[in-house]
Amino acid sequence: MKALIVDDDRTLADLLAFTLRRTGFETHLAFDAVGAMRVFTEVSPDIVILDVNLPGSPKLKNGFDICREIRKSSQVPIILLTVRDEEEDIIHGLTIGADDYILKPFSPRQLVARIQAVLRRTAAEEVLEEAPYRYLDVQFDPGRREFSRGDEEPQRLTRLEARLLSYLMLNQGQICPADNIITQVWGSDAANTEMLRQLIHRLRLKIERDPEDPNLIKTLPGVGYGFGF
């Protein structure tokens, strides 16, 4: 399995490469935005570990731009690494298609665990072809990650948004505890209730006619969320 590591800190990149090689990965390195896209095209990695703050170009200024560019043609798992801990940056990274977001400093062991969790989720999604979900005038196709309502234009969801909606619609009419949702969407210990709240908010912006007064995804304070009740 091939991993592309993109970080302008060459010492850290070498350490991560050494750690991943010990766990069986074939590793490839890039140290700036232009190099990242060149290596990505050449090797077609199975996962990308991508630093946000990178030397860039007018077109590809940072890791966010690389993530966005990769998502134009590939659904390869992407884990963002960054020292930025502002909520807006985390939300932005997940919105443009990243599968996980790890704040520096972190331990190599933590990164390996998060990589394995992301790959397990991705593999499970590829094996399990879910049939489209329907509710009243709503249809959601998990395979295409498209949500449609009546005659409105279909909405394309990110992988995390689609995973969240699949779980809620699978349990239609029930309140799902927040911890259960987190485990299904991110995996154990990979997210918290605030990240879930932000993901619910982003999903409502796409699927609710009035996100401030939602009629599809309901909240039960202190417990969790439910679809269609």
Side-chain angles (χ1 to χ4, degrees):
M1 187 163 283
K2 293 178 285 188
L4 171 57
I5 300 167
V6 186
D7 200 309
D8 61 333
D9 183 337
R10 296 185 179 229
T11 301
L12 176 59
D14 287 339
L15 173 61
L16 297 180
F18 173 75
T19 301
L20 293 186
R21 284 197 298 271
R22 290 184 64 186
T23 60
F25 283 89
E26 173 188 325
T27 59
H28 301 266
L29 301 180
F31 307 106
D32 56 36
V34 175
M37 291 308 303
R38 176 179 54 79
V39 177
F40 177 81
T41 301
E42 290 174 355
V43 306
S44 298
D46 299 291
I47 191 163
V48 178
I49 296 90
L50 176 61
D51 186 34
V52 169
N53 297 314
L54 288 170
S57 66
K59 181 181 178 181
L60 299 171
K61 298 178 181 178
N62 52 38
F64 289 140
D65 287 345
I66 297 171
C67 181
R68 190 180 294 106
E69 189 69 18
I70 289 174
R71 280 292 172 259
K72 291 180 180 178
S73 60
S74 172
Q75 292 302 314
V76 62
I78 299 174
I79 297 178
L80 294 179
L81 308 178
T82 184
V83 295
R84 303 183 183 188
D85 61 355
E86 290 86 355
E87 183 179 282
E88 290 183 1
D89 286 327
I90 296 174
I91 293 171
H92 179 58
L94 297 175
T95 299
I96 61 177
D99 294 273
D100 205 349
Y101 199 107
I102 303 180
L103 297 177
K104 296 180 179 179
F106 57 87
S107 70
R109 183 178 177 183
Q110 178 191 9
L111 176 61
V112 169
R114 300 283 277 271
I115 288 173
Q116 291 172 338
V118 167
L119 289 174
R120 280 196 302 269
R121 293 197 302 267
T122 304
E125 289 168 0
E126 291 175 351
V127 171
L128 179 61
E129 294 187 5
E130 297 178 80
Y133 294 97
R134 291 177 174 83
Y135 173 77
L136 301 179
D137 64 338
V138 162
Q139 177 169 302
F140 171 53
D141 185 337
R144 298 172 63 88
R145 301 210 309 274
E146 286 186 349
F147 174 91
S148 57
R149 189 169 189 172
D151 296 328
E152 298 172 4
E153 284 292 315
Q155 288 283 342
R156 178 77 169 172
L157 306 184
T158 67
R159 183 180 281 128
L160 287 176
E161 291 165 352
R163 197 177 295 136
L164 170 60
L165 185 55
S166 289
Y167 184 65
L168 293 178
M169 293 191 76
L170 180 65
N171 293 279
Q172 181 181 312
Q174 304 177 43
I175 288 292
C176 301
D179 288 345
N180 292 4
I181 300 173
I182 289 170
T183 299
Q184 289 294 323
V185 175
W186 284 276
S188 299
D189 303 321
N192 55 38
T193 54
E194 177 58 24
M195 292 175 66
L196 174 59
R197 187 183 69 81
Q198 291 294 339
L199 185 60
I200 289 283
H201 174 69
R202 297 203 315 270
L203 182 56
R204 281 173 170 160
L205 290 176
K206 289 186 176 181
I207 73 172
E208 298 280 4
R209 289 203 169 106
D210 182 359
E212 298 303 318
D213 184 22
N215 64 3
L216 295 178
I217 300 177
K218 299 288 188 177
T219 304
L220 186 61
V223 179
Y225 304 89
F227 184 96
F229 69 94

